[in-house]
Amino acid sequence: MSPATAATSSMVLRGGRPLEGSVSLRGAKNSLPKLMVAALLTGERCRLRNVADIVDVAIVSDLIRALGGTVESPEPGVLDICAADLKPMERSVLREFSGRSRIPILTCGPLLARFGQAPVPSLGGCRIGSRPVDFHIRALQDLGATLHEEAGNAHLSATQLTGAKIRLDFPSVGATEQVILGAVCAEGVTELSNAAIEPEIMDLIMVLQKMGAIIAVNVDRAITIHGVPALRGFDHAAIPDRLEAASWACAAAATNGRIFVEGARQVDMMTFLNRFRQTGGDFEVTGQGIAFWRASDGLRSTVIETDVHPGFMTDWQQPFVILLTQAAGVSIVHETVYEQRFGYVEALNRMGAKIQLYRECLGGLKCRFGQRNWLHSAVIAGPTPLTGAEIHIPDLRAGFSYVVAALVAKGVSTLTNTDLIQRGYENLTGKLQSLGADLLST
Ligand code: EPU
């Protein structure tokens, strides 16, 4: 597969047209890179299907190659990965990749399993909060790794990781994946509590089970991993991207159009679908996907608190806020996963939205940010007409939301830094064109 070469750094579009038509989903941006990392746990060939042509996949492909593995694409949407000749991570390789993605931290478990050592990255990824890696490091230490720090560089070492009882302070997606990837070849049993149970994590567990792992997902966010001495290759189709599906749903309802999202799965989106319907969106689930549109009685305000799965995902928050700017009444959104995920609303207010941010927790969920002075609750008064603007995109999800805002707005908008959207949305320009968006230049 070619890396996501269609990247553009700007997009000029005129709003006012409803989006009509269909788009198809491929593998989830938050699943594919982790499945690629799982392939580092074996010397056998691993085949990954339903692979999206997105930048995050290209980055992890390059990382695996830099580690001595091979990544080939025998046909579009398929990747063959082989880590038979994997070598330890050099600090220069780590430095090159850790500024571009959060995935390098997840190589620690596989590298410890294969070489007994792994350098610890300081990470890139979207700037939506401090995003530390303390849970990751502590979990690997619980599994028996030792942390060394010299001249500002940290690395972990372990002759053999050993099963342990680990409790996460928060059900972090990445830290849960870290524990699973670290414990799968450890000696003995690992009991992880307060784990995240996102569908993308279940996808990783499915792959590892195919590889020979024994992993049980129990009640109350507990995951038990029985370490096995070796793993084999896999053939697996990644789950479709439910974040992209929700993004197009919001675009359909916000522009008063209708979009059929081929590949969208109801089971992964139940919380979103409920809230979408309560807000005046409607949908029809078929065997091939889900069609989304705005119901005839219009959009109305709602109250949302983001949460870990099965709650309302933090990554659904931004496109949903655009929808709420078009809904009648006062909506409230309480962000409880990231402390700084409302930076993007300032540009929306410039376009005519009426969104106010608050430090207080505007909701009933127990949240880590209320006492710490973060602007993490939003009050949105709607409906407000939006007008075109010049906007610089700060992060992936905010980027797609600005596209939706520009599609709703009267007049022309110029979005810059649109490359960031290509990290998680395959062929964005082509999809927008096929849905009838008035793209003036890309
Ligand atoms: N956290 C810590 N310490 C840690 C790890 C996490 O304090 O060691 C905190 C974070 O700062 C954050 C919270 O825990 O406040 C949740 O972070 P989590 O670890 O769950 O996030 P992540 O694994 O880094 C993944 C997705 C994100 C998605 C979150 C939550 C990938 C590559 N990224 O991030 O996706 O928002 O889970 O579902 O899977 C996106 O797609 O736009 C995106 C940011």
Side-chain angles (χ1 to χ4, degrees):
M1 175 182 306
S2 69
T5 44
T8 55
S9 59
S10 72
M11 184 184 283
V12 182
L13 51 88
R14 186 185 289 120
R17 283 192 193 166
L19 294 192
E20 308 267 358
S22 67
V23 293
S24 60
L25 299 179
R26 287 210 277 184
K29 172 233 161 215
N30 286 348
S31 183
L32 290 166
K34 290 64 175 294
L35 307 184
M36 296 172 75
V37 171
L40 304 184
L41 285 161
T42 177
E44 291 188 18
R45 194 198 71 171
C46 300
R47 175 158 282 191
L48 194 52
R49 301 175 192 273
N50 203 23
V51 181
D53 186 12
I54 51 175
V55 168
D56 274 19
V57 167
I59 292 174
V60 181
S61 300
D62 288 346
L63 172 63
I64 293 175
R65 290 188 192 106
L67 287 172
T70 59
V71 183
E72 283 157 10
S73 178
E75 56 187 276
V78 178
L79 283 186
D80 284 338
I81 303 166
C82 184
D85 297 323
L86 204 70
K87 51 189 190 206
M89 175 95 78
E90 309 244 339
R91 184 62 61 186
S92 58
V93 171
L94 184 69
R95 225 174 276 125
E96 180 188 343
F97 286 94
S98 54
R100 297 162 64 193
S101 160
R102 292 186 65 73
I103 301 304
I105 187 74
L106 292 178
T107 62
C108 286
L111 291 176
L112 281 169
R114 290 193 60 172
F115 305 113
Q117 52 173 295
V120 178
S122 59
L123 294 172
C126 288
R127 299 283 162 219
I128 49 184
S130 60
R131 306 189 81 183
V133 291
D134 51 331
F135 301 164
H136 295 247
I137 305 300
R138 224 179 300 139
L140 289 167
Q141 287 175 307
D142 288 344
L143 291 172
T146 307
L147 180 69
H148 312 265
E149 287 182 275
E150 292 150 25
N153 291 327
H155 74 272
L156 290 157
S157 68
T159 34
Q160 166 72 56
L161 292 177
T162 316
K165 283 193 182 198
I166 302 174
R167 184 177 170 81
L168 297 178
D169 290 350
F170 181 81
S172 149
V173 170
T176 299
E177 291 160 341
Q178 184 73 264
V179 173
I180 294 170
L181 287 163
V184 72
C185 289
E187 202 173 275
V189 179
T190 296
E191 289 174 23
L192 173 64
S193 54
N194 205 26
I197 50 167
E198 266 62 5
E200 292 77 14
I201 294 172
M202 297 304 125
D203 207 25
L204 176 64
I205 293 175
M206 297 299 136
V207 158
L208 292 167
Q209 190 177 50
K210 286 179 179 178
M211 295 175 79
I214 301 171
I215 302 172
V217 181
N218 312 308
V219 290
D220 294 336
R221 300 190 169 281
I223 298 179
T224 309
I225 305 127
H226 293 256
V228 293
L231 294 172
R232 51 179 180 259
F234 64 81
D235 186 327
H236 185 79
I239 58 164
D241 198 308
R242 66 198 171 111
L243 311 184
E244 182 175 353
S247 304
W248 289 119
C250 293
T255 63
N256 204 7
R258 182 187 177 100
I259 302 178
F260 178 69
V261 184
E262 192 189 336
R265 298 199 312 183
Q266 182 182 14
V267 65
D268 301 331
M269 299 185 68
M270 285 179 60
T271 305
F272 175 86
L273 294 173
N274 285 335
R275 199 44 62 125
F276 186 70
R277 185 167 272 159
Q278 283 165 342
T279 310
D282 207 349
F283 56 90
E284 183 188 10
V285 181
T286 72
Q288 285 69 47
I290 308 180
F292 297 95
W293 66 92
R294 185 191 294 188
S296 53
D297 46 353
L299 299 174
R300 46 193 176 270
S301 58
T302 193
V303 175
I304 289 176
E305 293 185 85
T306 65
D307 203 355
V308 293
H309 188 76
F312 191 95
M313 285 202 74
T314 172
D315 304 305
W316 290 331
Q317 182 252 101
Q318 300 85 340
F320 214 93
V321 163
I322 309 298
L323 196 58
L324 296 177
T325 66
Q326 303 307 301
V330 175
S331 297
I332 298 174
V333 180
H334 180 207
E335 169 62 60
T336 77
V337 178
Y338 289 111
E339 66 273 33
Q340 288 188 74
R341 223 174 184 186
F342 279 124
Y344 71 98
V345 305
E346 187 260 322
L348 296 179
N349 283 341
R350 272 198 284 122
M351 294 177 83
K354 289 201 179 111
I355 305 175
Q356 267 196 300
L357 299 182
Y358 293 87
R359 292 183 165 77
E360 293 76 17
C361 293
L362 299 183
L365 271 187
K366 206 172 134 201
C367 160
R368 298 164 294 152
F369 312 134
Q371 309 308 319
R372 292 168 48 202
N373 234 5
W374 298 110
L375 289 164
H376 71 294
S377 295
V379 175
I380 303 134
T384 45
L386 302 180
T387 45
E390 287 186 14
I391 308 175
H392 189 74
I393 290 172
D395 70 74
L396 168 66
R397 304 291 163 200
F400 189 92
S401 305
Y402 288 152
V403 171
V404 181
L407 291 165
V408 170
K410 196 167 182 297
V412 173
S413 294
T414 302
L415 307 181
T416 51
N417 207 24
T418 48
D419 281 2
L420 259 187
I421 310 179
Q422 310 274 347
R423 287 190 53 196
Y425 294 85
E426 181 179 45
N427 186 23
L428 176 70
T429 309
K431 287 180 181 174
L432 285 171
Q433 275 162 340
S434 79
L435 293 169
D438 194 0
L439 277 182
L440 303 176
S441 78
T442 57

